[in-house]
Amino acid sequence: MTDPRDLRVSDAEREHVVSLLNKAVGRGMITLDEFTVRTDTALAAKTRADLNAVLVDLPGMVNNELARERTELKNTMSTTTRKGHWVVPNELVIRNTLGTTNLDFTAAEVPPVVNVDLDVSLGTVKMLLPAGASVDFDAVEITAGEVKDKVRNTAGSPHFQLKGAVRGGTVVIKKKR
C-alpha cells in the first residue's frame, strides 16, 4: 500500500496551503520572506510530504484538504463537476436542487468505501466509477425519480454505498468504457 505522504497533490491543495501560509503571516507566525520561500515550495510541491513540510512548524495550521473525511457538494440550478485527479472523502454529501452533479471517479484517489448521502430534488447526479467498483443503492428512497444502475455490481472495490432521497430526479451510475 502506498504511504499517504507519497501521494501526489492537486492545484486546489497547493492553493489551500498558500491560504494557510497567508493566515500565518497575518498572525505573526512567519515573516514575509519566509512566506515567499514557503509559498514557492508549496506551489512546486508534488507530494503530500512536500506540501506538509511548509506547515509542520506552524501550530494550528493544518492542511485540512488532505485529511477531509466529509465533503458536501451543494448545487441549486447549477452544475457541479469533479473530474481528473481529486481526493474523494469517506463521506460525500450531495445536495442537488434543479441542477446537475457530475462525478468522475476514474482518475481520483478513492478510499475502499465511499458513503454517498443523496438529497436530490428535480436534479441529476451522474457517477462515473472506476473499473472493478461496486455500488449499493438499496438505502435510497426514490419518489417520482429513478436510479439508472449501469454497473450492476454489488461486490468490488472501491465500494460506493448510496443512501438518502431522490425526489423527481435521476441518478445515473456507470463505468468508463
Side-chain angles (χ1 to χ4, degrees):
M1 185 165 187
T2 304
D3 185 332
R5 293 174 295 187
D6 295 331
L7 295 174
R8 298 188 63 94
V9 293
S10 67
D11 287 340
E13 292 167 315
R14 290 182 195 95
E15 291 168 11
H16 176 70
V17 169
V18 170
S19 74
L20 292 175
L21 292 171
N22 195 31
K23 288 178 186 175
V25 170
R27 294 177 185 166
M29 299 170 84
I30 59 175
T31 66
L32 286 175
D33 289 339
E34 289 173 303
F35 172 78
T36 301
V37 171
R38 291 177 189 228
T39 297
D40 290 346
T41 301
L43 293 174
K46 294 197 183 314
T47 66
R48 290 181 176 179
D50 299 337
L51 200 53
N52 286 332
V54 301
L55 299 174
V56 73
D57 63 338
L58 301 174
M61 295 287 145
V62 179
N63 183 2
N64 293 326
E65 291 290 313
L66 301 178
R68 192 178 310 174
E69 294 296 316
R70 181 178 190 269
T71 298
E72 187 169 326
L73 301 175
K74 293 181 183 178
N75 180 347
T76 303
M77 296 189 293
S78 304
T79 299
T80 299
T81 301
R82 294 285 186 275
K83 65 181 181 178
H85 180 266
W86 61 292
V87 178
V88 180
N90 294 328
E91 184 179 357
L92 190 57
V93 179
I94 301 170
R95 301 197 191 288
N96 182 331
T97 304
L98 295 166
T100 302
T101 303
N102 298 310
L103 302 172
D104 183 345
F105 296 96
T106 57
E109 291 177 36
V110 184
V113 176
V114 180
N115 292 301
V116 181
D117 190 355
L118 298 169
D119 181 6
V120 181
S121 297
L122 302 171
T124 301
V125 175
K126 296 177 184 175
M127 299 173 62
L128 184 59
L129 305 186
S134 60
V135 64
D136 178 3
F137 58 89
D138 289 341
V140 176
E141 180 184 329
I142 304 165
T143 306
E146 66 180 323
V147 174
K148 296 179 182 177
D149 178 15
K150 298 181 180 182
V151 172
R152 298 191 193 345
N153 183 11
T154 57
S157 184
H159 181 71
F160 293 82
Q161 182 69 45
L162 279 61
K163 66 178 183 175
V166 177
R167 295 171 298 282
T170 304
V171 176
V172 179
I173 306 163
K174 61 185 181 175
K175 286 187 186 174
K176 193 170 186 175
R177 290 188 180 143

